[in-house]
Amino acid sequence: MKPETSNTPRLVNWLVTRFIPDQYWDELLGDLEEIYQERIEIKGKHFARFMYWFDAFHLLYGFSSFKIFKTQNNTSMLKHNLKIVIRNLFREASYSIINISGLAIGIACCIILVLYLKSELTYDQHFDKHDRIYRVVSQLNSGENINLFAQTSYGVGQFIAEESGQIEAYVRFLMSNRGYSDFEYNGTSKRWDDIALVDPNVFEVFSHEIIYGDPKTALTEPKTIAISERFSKTYFGNENPVGKTIKGLLSDFKITLVFADLPDNTHLKYDALITYQELPTERYTPTNNADLRSSLWYTRSDYTYLLMPKDYDIDSFKSISDSFFEAYMADHPDRYNSTVDFMLEPLSDIHLKSRAQRDRPHGNRFYVAGFTGIAIFVLLVACINYMNLSTTRFSKRTKSIAIPKVLGAHRHQLIFQLLTESVVFVIIALVLGLGLAFLVTNYTSLDYLFDKSLPFDLLLSPTAIAIALVGVPLMSIVAGLYPAMAMSKFSLVRKIKSKNSGVRQGLVFVQFLVSICVISCTLLMYYQMKFMQEKSLGFEKENKLVLTVQGASNIEKIPVLVNELKSHSNVIDATVSLNHFGRSTSFEQAEVENNDGEFVSHSYNWFYIDENFINTMGMELIAGRNFDPTIPTDANHAILVNETLVKKMGWERPLGKRLRYQAGEEPSYVVGVMKDFHFQGLQHEVESMIFWLPAPDDFSASFWTERRRKLTTRMLTVNITGQNVSETIRFIEDKWKALGSEHAFEFQSLDDSLNSQYTADIKQMKLIGLFAGLCIFISCLGLFGLTAFIIEQRTKEIGVRKTLGATSAQIITLIFKSVFLIVGIAAILASLLSFGIMNKWLEGFYYHDSIDVKAFFIAAFFAFLIAFLTMSTQSFKVARANPVKALRHE
Amino acid sequence: MISKNLTAASTKPIILGILRQGSSYGYLIIKKIKELSGGKMEWSDGMLYPVLHRLEKEELIRSEWVMAENSRPRKYYHITEAGKRELNYEHEQWSQVNSILNEVWGIKPSR
């Protein structure tokens, strides 16, 4: 019977089964596991895992037939080899430094990229049940329009769970940053961006590391809040805050639990979780009524997660979705022939694979693939570099290699000696590389570019140690075997000493191929970013300040504020909208009249604006008129549409076309058509858009409960001249304060908030640029080695040529010719390669610049320049040297 | 800590001696050695198992899988008659070494 070894490190078990005869597995793994369990109880899991690795390696050694260290002869030979290695290391100090530093930089880059990739590829896997948790996404199919949304109605979780017996639990997350963002305790007040309202069973489904409190009961009572360690420290220092009450904007909350801060690699980010009971009962425990059915179609507010049985087949969810749709949604009067499919996204796939809209920022698979490629290439370039430099060093040592051979040393002994050197160099480089990676990840702002901190302790995991233990010999062999084999073979020594250094030229070729490719990709990414920032969006994004006005009492004061603001010479205009333009729009479907006068289903984005919006934003009206508040029917019934909607509907005469939510209802009608503008990032195609003019706010109506009055917000966009900006902002702030608002003055520049859509791409571009620079640097080290080698081999030839009257320029051309040919061919191939890669990358942007061939020329020129500079220091010295010295060479 | 060479040389009598007391399995043997030596002699798995398997090949010990309730199956080792004889022989050898060493410790240094 195979022993149960499920908790023990799997990699170790695999190694044991791989290298130890199968008749011993059961016994060894069984005993190892027993020791492991005992150690867990005494000294904890980490120690037990570490010792498991340790014991397993002892076992492997005990059973191995690898006798190299077991005989007296081999030990002394090893000592002798090490002595020679250390002697050579110091004798050829400059070469050793170049050799080791190139490899160390390569290893450091590789380590940093591995840390990044590990973080990207293990998103949300810190939740114990991550393989059973799925997010429900809803796909709205209305005519030709198909839209996938990350959020669903608050009712989906409960009713879909009732529809299917297989769902073990559901949890809703309502990410709220209004009303639940400000907390105050004992004079300390802070605004938090990530606060969620969640179902009380959240801790059963999503495992957290609990510091204080009982997860089973934490959120079962109303007005309770579970907070993160960071949140807790802000208000309470190191005290246990459980049982204390913290003041929120709407009410006080009792702290019931403190959980450890979430890791960076989670798509669900929150600093505090408030019980869902905070919301009205009809949301917390909805009943199957008209409101709920309507919300299933129109409300997309919550992230809904389901806990499914182990190994659940996600395709089988289709039937649950269909029966749910039939039971709760199909009979809705405002359906407009649309259908909705609910689908599951595995939790750990959301970050890289989700295509849902209106979601928090996602990762990008393209970058993951790109960085994997770069990690491999950087290491490859570093190894190639090492091979080139080593061969150069060894070729200067032919005598010390030849003499032992003549005295009867076997070829394998020579290989062993040279490989020892390789192992020593790789180990030194590994230690330096680790140190460098540690310094870079901890003391530079690289975290900012990666958008996450890279926990260095990941490298202390047994898997990483195992990779290092396998990696060092592997790299030593990859980097050291060619020079060792070449030098240990006499005929090859002659070959190496000949002018034909084909293999090494090939290696330099690969280095330049990779480097030029990375440089041109970086340049093309830069062009695209520039294109996006400079492309006309169809409105003026410059010099716009967006102020968040919260609370009904403040909103009522907006007209007064705007009048006062306009008194300043630098304030041109202002407009009020419901949402932050360029950041979020609402999405819905309705019946729209076609050319034949029939109503057909159409889905579109919509946005509430006022009559000043078009002018303030610098948009262009190409047909019809703007909203006019003096016409009473304009409010909620007049609509402005964009060109895309006109095209999609095929309207010949768009003005007067109607839109309605249901038959018999008074329809809205098109009064104007706007030139298309980009209300989403340039990654996305322009979609249908409708602007509405809302009816004037009447906060005295019964709809406006105290809670709603407090939470409601409007965006006031102020158009300024761009002169004396800071003085203008101070003026606006003063006027804001004079209104007596209880909320702090909060504003954002529209330009900044629109550009933030490209932040991730810009950061990735900078990172790739950084690694491109390193690739080139390492390649230069290799080229330096190659030049030295060429000069070493041709010293006598150069001497003869000079004696016969060759000029320094001719000598330099002689040395440069072969290398420039290599760089030239590499440049052509690299251009083709990066053309293909960037074409694929640009597909991710709906609006993109065409590939500018200038990038390839710049990259190639840069490579030539670098090659020239690297080689020139040595070449000029040789070209100018006294030929007599050269002729005396050897 | 007892030196590696001495530990390696005494492996056979120690294992046979422990098994003469009663049957045992790998991990228990390691624990017992640690206990008997007061922690001065520490054996790793890598050392023990190859020796156990060698002793089994030499028919000095034999093994069998024991299935017990509430625990995993364990491979127990028992000493054979040949093992007992070997242990007596080892005992004699080590006693001789011990007596020689005692003599040596007794020799007074020459001036």
Side-chain angles (χ1 to χ4, degrees):
Chain A
M1 201 178 98
K2 185 115 184 140
E4 180 58 53
T5 53
S6 56
N7 292 328
T8 50
R10 275 182 293 174
L11 184 63
V12 182
N13 298 338
W14 179 80
L15 283 172
V16 168
T17 53
R18 183 78 189 75
F19 293 107
I20 290 177
D22 53 359
Q23 69 261 35
Y24 303 132
W25 295 352
D26 292 341
E27 180 189 6
L28 302 182
L29 291 178
D31 280 5
L32 274 179
E33 198 205 350
E34 192 171 338
I35 307 173
Y36 175 77
Q37 298 299 353
E38 239 180 67
R39 282 182 181 143
I40 282 188
E41 278 170 30
I42 301 165
K43 290 200 170 171
K45 197 176 166 187
H46 289 295
F47 177 77
R49 284 182 88 84
F50 177 76
M51 289 307 292
Y52 195 85
W53 273 91
F54 185 78
D55 287 342
F57 273 107
H58 252 261
L59 264 181
L60 289 174
Y61 178 70
F63 274 89
S64 73
S65 53
F66 188 62
K67 299 277 191 269
I68 196 157
F69 299 106
K70 291 186 177 173
T71 66
Q72 199 66 39
N73 274 349
N74 282 333
T75 314
S76 56
M77 185 170 149
L78 191 68
K79 276 183 190 165
H80 170 76
N81 284 345
L82 280 174
K83 199 189 277 176
I84 290 179
V85 169
I86 291 165
R87 216 178 269 165
N88 287 333
L89 196 144
F90 288 106
R91 188 189 293 155
E92 300 160 350
S94 59
Y95 269 110
S96 305
I97 290 170
I98 294 176
N99 215 341
I100 292 173
S101 61
L103 205 52
I105 293 171
I107 290 172
C109 285
C110 202
I111 289 171
I112 292 168
L113 287 173
V114 165
L115 286 176
Y116 167 75
L117 290 171
K118 173 144 179 149
S119 166
E120 280 291 293
L121 297 172
T122 54
Y123 253 69
D124 296 306
Q125 290 184 14
H126 60 283
F127 294 120
D128 288 344
K129 294 177 184 164
H130 68 88
D131 53 340
R132 292 170 54 203
I133 303 173
Y134 298 85
R135 183 171 77 173
V136 185
V137 290
S138 60
Q139 181 174 290
L140 174 67
N141 314 301
S142 91
E144 285 178 6
N145 292 342
I146 294 173
N147 292 84
L148 186 68
F149 298 101
Q151 288 160 316
T152 65
S153 153
Y154 54 85
V156 167
Q158 180 183 325
F159 289 98
I160 219 161
E162 280 177 15
E163 198 60 28
S164 158
Q166 284 178 290
I167 296 167
E168 292 182 16
Y170 70 89
V171 182
R172 293 167 291 181
F173 278 78
L174 174 66
M175 303 310 292
S176 174
N177 51 20
R178 286 280 151 208
Y180 300 102
S181 53
D182 297 278
F183 289 93
E184 193 247 312
Y185 182 82
N186 232 355
T188 310
S189 177
K190 188 170 156 62
R191 164 159 286 185
W192 298 86
D193 288 331
D194 299 309
I195 307 288
L197 278 81
V198 290
D199 281 304
N201 63 343
V202 62
F203 297 110
E204 280 169 39
V205 179
F206 294 90
S207 56
H208 286 68
E209 194 186 319
I210 307 295
I211 297 173
Y212 302 115
D214 178 6
K216 278 192 186 134
T217 55
L219 299 176
T220 49
E221 298 291 320
K223 304 286 173 209
T224 46
I225 185 169
I227 60 176
S228 70
E229 203 180 348
R230 180 170 48 215
F231 189 107
S232 170
K233 283 199 169 139
T234 306
Y235 298 99
F236 309 98
N238 290 324
E239 251 180 87
N240 174 1
V242 169
K244 295 198 161 112
T245 301
I246 191 161
K247 191 176 178 312
L249 184 69
L250 295 167
S251 61
D252 293 350
F253 291 94
K254 186 180 163 195
I255 297 168
T256 49
L257 183 134
V258 180
F259 55 86
D261 290 337
L262 301 174
D264 277 330
N265 59 345
T266 175
H267 85 287
L268 263 172
K269 290 185 169 51
Y270 43 82
D271 280 304
L273 298 170
I274 296 174
T275 175
Y276 210 87
Q277 293 170 69
E278 180 61 16
L279 295 169
T281 318
E282 63 265 27
R283 284 200 67 155
Y284 178 49
T285 46
T287 43
N288 184 4
N289 57 21
D291 281 349
L292 167 88
R293 285 165 173 258
S294 203
S295 91
L296 292 175
W297 278 101
Y298 289 106
T299 313
R300 290 178 201 96
S301 55
D302 294 32
Y303 293 101
T304 308
Y305 297 86
L306 303 181
L307 181 66
M308 305 303 281
K310 219 172 175 154
D311 301 322
Y312 179 73
D313 174 19
I314 135 174
D315 292 330
S316 66
F317 195 74
K318 171 94 175 77
S319 61
I320 298 175
S321 165
D322 289 347
S323 61
F324 176 80
F325 182 80
E326 280 307 314
Y328 295 95
M329 298 178 75
D331 59 351
H332 194 262
D334 301 343
R335 183 183 152 182
Y336 319 115
N337 295 323
S338 303
T339 57
V340 174
D341 292 317
F342 292 95
M343 287 176 270
L344 295 185
E345 289 180 333
L347 185 70
S348 45
D349 284 355
I350 293 174
H351 177 64
L352 288 178
K353 294 188 183 159
S354 176
R355 305 180 74 88
Q357 305 169 21
R358 288 167 169 69
D359 197 5
R360 315 187 120 211
H362 286 168
N364 188 332
R365 272 187 286 175
F366 186 89
Y367 294 126
V368 171
F371 281 123
T372 310
I374 291 179
I376 294 169
F377 282 137
V378 168
L379 205 57
L380 184 74
V381 165
C383 281
I384 288 175
N385 192 39
Y386 180 85
M387 286 156 95
N388 261 336
L389 287 167
S390 299
T391 322
T392 312
R393 281 190 307 124
F394 292 167
S395 68
K396 286 186 173 180
R397 261 195 245 158
T398 38
K399 262 180 213 161
S400 63
I401 292 167
I403 289 169
K405 178 97 186 171
V406 172
L407 293 176
H410 288 289
R411 190 170 170 222
H412 73 261
Q413 285 171 320
L414 284 174
I415 293 178
F416 186 57
Q417 185 207 317
L418 298 174
L419 272 183
T420 310
E421 181 161 336
S422 182
V423 173
V424 171
F425 273 42
V426 169
I427 290 173
I428 297 175
L430 183 72
V431 172
L432 287 177
L434 274 169
L436 198 62
F438 179 78
L439 290 175
V440 169
T441 48
N442 284 285
Y443 300 103
T444 66
S445 52
L446 200 71
D447 282 11
Y448 164 76
L449 290 182
F450 277 118
D451 240 349
K452 63 179 81 174
S453 60
L454 300 174
F456 198 75
D457 51 5
L458 271 181
L459 286 182
L460 300 177
S461 68
T463 323
I465 293 170
I467 291 171
L469 287 175
V470 178
V472 169
L474 197 72
M475 267 183 68
S476 311
I477 289 170
V478 168
L481 198 62
Y482 165 69
M485 296 283 282
M487 295 311 297
S488 62
K489 202 173 175 184
F490 253 34
S491 57
L492 263 174
V493 171
R494 280 200 294 277
K495 202 172 172 187
I496 277 179
K497 284 176 74 62
S498 73
K499 284 179 198 168
N500 181 8
S501 52
V503 176
R504 281 152 354 89
Q505 284 180 342
L507 297 178
V508 168
F509 167 77
V510 175
Q511 284 186 316
F512 271 87
L513 179 77
V514 173
S515 306
I516 298 171
C517 186
V518 180
I519 293 176
S520 48
C521 286
T522 314
L523 279 172
L524 288 169
M525 285 177 87
Y526 169 73
Y527 291 158
Q528 173 64 13
M529 293 301 132
K530 209 168 149 218
F531 167 81
M532 290 198 295
Q533 276 163 353
E534 288 172 0
K535 184 174 163 58
S536 164
L537 297 177
F539 62 91
E540 293 161 11
K541 59 177 179 170
E542 294 82 15
N543 301 324
K544 304 279 182 298
L545 298 177
V546 186
L547 275 67
T548 310
V549 185
Q550 185 174 351
S553 57
N554 293 325
I555 292 169
E556 281 168 333
K557 293 173 195 161
I558 288 179
V560 182
L561 177 68
V562 169
N563 268 339
E564 289 190 11
L565 293 182
K566 278 187 181 169
S567 68
H568 194 283
S569 59
N570 286 340
V571 176
I572 307 168
D573 212 344
T575 178
V576 181
S577 56
L578 197 65
N579 293 319
H580 191 132
F581 187 69
R583 208 186 263 178
S584 64
T585 53
S586 302
F587 189 87
E588 66 178 13
Q589 72 272 24
E591 287 184 319
V592 184
E593 185 184 4
N594 65 13
N595 270 332
D596 303 327
E598 292 163 354
F599 282 92
V600 292
S601 167
H602 191 82
S603 54
Y604 51 83
N605 293 272
W606 66 273
F607 203 74
Y608 265 138
I609 59 168
D610 67 4
E611 67 279 10
N612 299 319
F613 194 82
I614 305 275
N615 279 340
T616 311
M617 300 302 288
M619 288 175 177
E620 196 182 330
L621 205 58
I622 52 173
R625 63 171 176 84
N626 191 1
F627 292 131
D628 184 351
T630 60
I631 303 173
T633 50
D634 266 15
N636 279 333
H637 284 293
I639 52 176
L640 296 174
V641 297
N642 67 349
E643 278 175 291
T644 300
L645 193 142
V646 174
K647 274 183 222 147
K648 280 193 176 171
M649 290 304 298
W651 285 338
E652 285 151 14
R653 279 186 291 278
L655 298 180
K657 287 282 183 250
R658 293 168 299 166
L659 175 149
R660 69 180 186 194
Y661 288 106
Q662 62 189 81
E665 178 195 81
E666 192 188 336
S668 303
Y669 48 90
V670 177
V671 296
V673 179
M674 285 168 304
K675 196 171 165 42
D676 268 346
F677 54 88
H678 297 271
F679 54 90
Q680 288 171 298
L682 291 172
Q683 296 96 329
H684 311 284
E685 184 185 2
V686 173
E687 294 172 359
S688 298
M689 177 70 158
I690 287 180
F691 279 154
W692 298 86
L693 177 72
D697 292 316
D698 175 14
F699 291 118
S700 60
S702 62
F703 169 82
W704 290 103
T705 57
E706 188 51 30
R707 177 193 166 88
R708 281 189 172 131
R709 281 175 61 87
K710 270 188 175 177
L711 291 184
T712 187
T713 55
R714 298 287 182 275
M715 297 294 153
L716 177 66
T717 307
V718 184
N719 188 11
I720 57 174
T721 58
Q723 287 160 353
N724 293 333
V725 176
S726 48
E727 189 258 313
T728 315
I729 293 174
R730 260 200 312 277
F731 169 77
I732 299 173
E733 186 175 3
D734 287 345
K735 291 293 168 199
W736 171 269
K737 282 181 182 158
L739 283 183
S741 167
E742 70 216 56
H743 294 287
F745 177 67
E746 247 186 274
F747 78 93
Q748 218 184 350
S749 135
L750 183 62
D751 208 358
D752 287 350
S753 61
L754 288 172
N755 282 340
S756 67
Q757 299 173 95
Y758 314 123
T759 311
D761 289 300
I762 291 170
K763 283 180 181 173
Q764 307 287 358
M765 182 191 77
K766 286 184 182 166
L767 271 176
I768 291 180
L770 185 74
F771 287 108
L774 285 170
C775 258
I776 268 286
F777 176 71
I778 299 171
S779 302
C780 285
L781 294 180
L783 191 59
F784 184 82
L786 186 71
T787 319
F789 177 78
I790 292 172
I791 291 169
E792 171 75 19
Q793 300 310 316
R794 301 178 88 166
T795 309
K796 212 168 243 178
E797 183 192 335
I798 292 167
V800 172
R801 281 175 187 268
K802 278 204 88 172
T803 322
L804 294 176
T807 60
S808 293
Q810 281 169 328
I811 298 294
I812 289 168
T813 317
L814 181 79
I815 298 166
F816 281 15
K817 203 170 61 187
S818 57
V819 173
F820 274 15
L821 188 71
I822 297 172
V823 178
I825 300 171
I828 295 167
L829 276 181
S831 302
L832 292 174
L833 201 63
S834 45
F835 184 86
I837 295 171
M838 292 319 285
N839 235 349
K840 191 87 193 135
W841 180 72
L842 286 172
E843 278 173 16
F845 295 87
Y846 191 83
Y847 299 93
H848 57 78
D849 207 357
S850 55
I851 289 185
D852 191 345
V853 286
K854 200 167 67 192
F856 304 128
F857 285 109
I858 294 177
F861 172 75
F862 190 63
F864 275 111
L865 184 73
I866 293 278
F868 176 78
L869 292 176
T870 311
M871 294 173 70
S872 55
T873 45
Q874 296 179 72
S875 312
F876 280 110
K877 202 165 78 187
V878 173
R880 283 188 190 156
N882 184 351
V884 176
K885 271 187 193 166
L887 289 172
R888 272 192 203 142
H889 185 67
E890 289 189 5
Chain B
M1 228 14 143
I2 296 167
S3 79
K4 263 189 181 175
N5 284 343
L6 209 51
T7 307
S10 57
T11 326
K12 199 200 259 181
I14 290 177
I15 293 178
L16 291 175
I18 288 173
L19 291 181
R20 196 169 58 176
Q21 272 194 327
S23 314
S24 190
Y25 63 98
Y27 174 45
L28 211 59
I29 297 174
I30 294 177
K31 265 172 71 168
K32 206 147 218 175
I33 293 167
K34 203 174 171 186
E35 228 174 78
L36 287 172
S37 68
K40 283 180 187 154
M41 188 183 268
E42 203 162 316
W43 283 23
S44 67
D45 314 18
M47 248 176 99
L48 175 73
Y49 292 103
V51 177
L52 280 174
H53 298 148
R54 187 164 47 88
L55 294 179
E56 198 178 3
K57 250 187 207 167
E58 290 169 6
E59 296 184 343
L60 300 177
I61 58 173
R62 64 182 173 80
S63 67
E64 67 172 338
W65 280 98
V66 175
M67 318 289 268
E69 261 183 57
N70 301 328
S71 86
R72 65 180 182 86
R74 288 180 178 127
K75 196 176 186 182
Y76 271 82
Y77 292 90
H78 315 273
I79 189 164
T80 59
E81 285 308 314
K84 285 177 190 164
R85 280 197 297 276
E86 182 69 20
L87 181 62
N88 288 336
Y89 174 69
E90 286 278 335
H91 192 169
E92 274 173 34
Q93 298 270 310
W94 280 96
S95 301
Q96 281 172 19
V97 173
N98 196 24
S99 63
I100 294 167
L101 284 174
N102 278 335
E103 291 290 326
V104 170
W105 308 142
I107 298 172
K108 285 182 183 165
S110 59
R111 295 191 181 255

